[in-house]
Amino acid sequence: MDRIKAEERVTELNELLRNYGHAYYVLDKPSVPDAVYDQLLHELIELETVYPDLIFPDSPTQRVGGTPLSNFEKVRHERPMLSLSNVFNEEDLRDFDKRVRGGAGDSVEYVCELKIDGLAVSLHYEDGKFVRGLTRGDGRVGEDITVNLRTVRSIPLKLKEPVSVEVRGEVFMPKKSFHALNTDREERGEELFANPRNAAAGSLRQLDSKIAAKRNLDVFIYGIGGDGETYGLNEHDESLRYLTELGFKTNGERKVCRSVEEVLAYIERWTDARNQLSYEIDGIVIKVNRFLHQQDLGFTAKSPKWATAYKFPAEEVMT
Ligand SMILES: NC(=O)c1cc2c(N)ncc(C(N)=O)c2s1
């Protein structure tokens, strides 16, 4: 194949594999059989081997890095990654609701979301390309773990629109992957991970991205860093739809709740149903939906006043 034809085919293969990968890893709805995906990936690898200058940075072959790092660079967050306040029972939640209505008025509505038990990350995109990913760290300074985040197949390397945006989400290890990893470690006489959250954290802290790439990590994106107005958005629920359109994996179990009773019902539902999920959650995040109301409420030094996290009671460990 001559170089012109090769360039056309490489561009086509990148597009095809990006779309098939999005369907498989982000939507969990494969659009082609694995054998077709693998065959196209093999064809791309062959063409990239013959024409290395046709290797695009966001090619699916570029997810697993080269040489291991010696350490992770520390990077200051442009906008601090604040922590959430916690509520533990109905009384706390009603107090939160009263404070919110006192500050934002009675028309306030909430978005309830599952609180993913993983590791918070900040992902930076420039002109639609994934350029950097950071851990939360202490909220002000995180660590650059871009090479490991590139191995997470549900993190897009190129968005559906060429926008520059910082998004936040939670990287997690699905329960199945966690049990398989610990079974493998037990057979090797290695120390076991206590829970999927520690396993995800341990995997993202690997200096060799080839190890991280084998850990089947996944992500749910749950917000845009900074104000949504920049993107013409007025509500948190709307921003999640926008993130989904850009190609991010968002969690579909969210619900707009117009009263604290609806929030309590959502909490009740997931207190039992969480055992059926393929990933662990440690609570429910409750956010005021309209950005104008969020601005009315503002922040404390540590947390937004327009959000809180209901934490599930610690489960009795079955001895
Ligand atoms: N610390 C935080 O701000 C958050 C932490 C988490 C988490 N672990 N899971 C889901 C969400 C969410 N859907 O907003 C948030 S927000």
Side-chain angles (χ1 to χ4, degrees):
M1 184 187 293
D2 68 29
R3 200 189 177 309
I4 306 287
K5 280 256 172 290
E7 183 158 8
E8 283 166 9
R9 182 61 178 158
V10 162
T11 304
E12 186 184 17
L13 285 169
N14 267 275
E15 190 70 21
L16 281 171
L17 290 164
R18 179 172 29 259
N19 292 336
Y20 295 157
H22 180 263
Y24 189 93
Y25 293 108
V26 175
L27 305 179
D28 288 342
K29 286 190 204 106
S31 48
V32 290
D34 293 5
V36 169
Y37 183 91
D38 294 345
Q39 197 278 324
L40 292 171
L41 185 62
H42 183 73
E43 185 186 348
L44 179 58
I45 291 168
E46 281 194 330
L47 283 170
E48 289 180 347
T49 307
V50 174
Y51 299 98
D53 61 313
L54 291 180
I55 297 176
F56 302 161
D58 48 285
S59 164
T61 65
Q62 302 305 298
R63 278 193 177 274
V64 188
T67 48
L69 296 175
S70 53
N71 69 311
F72 294 120
E73 188 196 340
K74 289 206 178 297
V75 178
R76 180 169 291 280
H77 294 292
E78 285 157 29
R79 298 175 199 87
M81 292 181 74
L82 299 176
S83 52
L84 285 174
S85 61
N86 289 331
V87 294
F88 299 94
N89 54 50
E90 178 170 341
E91 185 186 356
D92 292 350
L93 189 65
R94 289 186 181 281
D95 290 347
F96 168 76
D97 179 54
K98 235 175 255 130
R99 283 196 304 276
V100 163
R101 291 179 188 283
D106 239 3
S107 70
V108 76
E109 61 183 24
Y110 299 108
V111 181
C112 287
E113 299 174 77
L114 303 182
K115 189 170 182 300
I116 312 303
D117 195 5
L119 217 73
V121 293
S122 160
L123 307 178
H124 292 250
Y125 288 77
E126 278 167 21
D127 305 322
K129 303 289 181 69
F130 179 49
V131 291
R132 190 163 67 189
L134 307 175
T135 63
R136 179 180 179 283
D138 64 4
R140 300 203 176 286
V141 176
E143 290 181 313
D144 186 329
I145 55 165
T146 307
V147 290
N148 285 337
L149 290 170
R150 288 176 65 89
T151 73
V152 180
R153 296 332 188 265
S154 47
I155 291 180
L157 299 180
K158 181 180 177 187
L159 302 179
K160 295 193 184 286
E161 297 297 330
V163 296
S164 297
V165 64
E166 182 229 340
V167 300
R168 289 156 180 207
E170 200 86 0
V171 171
F172 64 95
M173 185 178 288
K175 291 175 185 171
K176 253 197 204 139
S177 308
F178 167 69
H179 293 305
L181 175 62
N182 263 355
T183 303
D184 183 48
R185 290 172 76 92
E186 194 163 21
E187 282 160 10
R188 296 164 189 265
E190 289 169 1
E191 194 184 346
L192 305 189
F193 284 109
N195 53 52
R197 189 206 165 286
N198 288 6
S203 303
L204 284 178
R205 266 205 295 271
Q206 288 294 326
L207 290 165
D208 180 358
S209 67
K210 286 187 223 32
I211 299 175
K214 294 194 183 87
R215 295 290 175 83
N216 298 313
L217 295 173
D218 203 339
V219 74
F220 282 120
I221 300 300
Y222 51 63
I224 291 173
D227 39 24
E229 284 85 348
T230 321
Y231 306 90
L233 301 162
N234 302 305
E235 296 180 346
H236 176 62
D237 191 46
E238 194 186 4
S239 67
L240 290 170
R241 286 199 296 276
Y242 175 61
L243 288 168
T244 309
E245 285 155 22
L246 284 179
F248 289 109
K249 181 167 185 173
T250 55
N251 192 295
E253 299 300 349
R254 62 183 184 269
K255 186 174 187 293
V256 174
C257 294
R258 286 174 179 75
S259 68
V260 70
E261 276 66 30
E262 282 188 48
V263 174
L264 286 163
Y266 183 90
I267 288 171
E268 186 67 33
R269 173 180 164 212
W270 286 106
T271 300
D272 306 331
R274 64 180 162 144
N275 299 322
Q276 269 77 48
L277 290 167
S278 61
Y279 47 87
E280 289 202 346
I281 63 173
D282 61 343
I284 300 293
V285 175
I286 301 134
K287 290 179 180 172
V288 165
N289 192 20
R290 292 207 190 86
F291 292 143
L292 280 177
H293 289 155
Q294 293 183 7
Q295 282 154 24
D296 292 343
L297 289 157
F299 297 82
T300 66
K302 278 181 26 192
S303 306
K305 291 182 184 171
W306 41 266
T308 193
Y310 168 81
K311 301 285 283 194
F312 292 127
E315 281 186 313
E316 298 81 46
V317 179
M318 308 301 279
T319 47

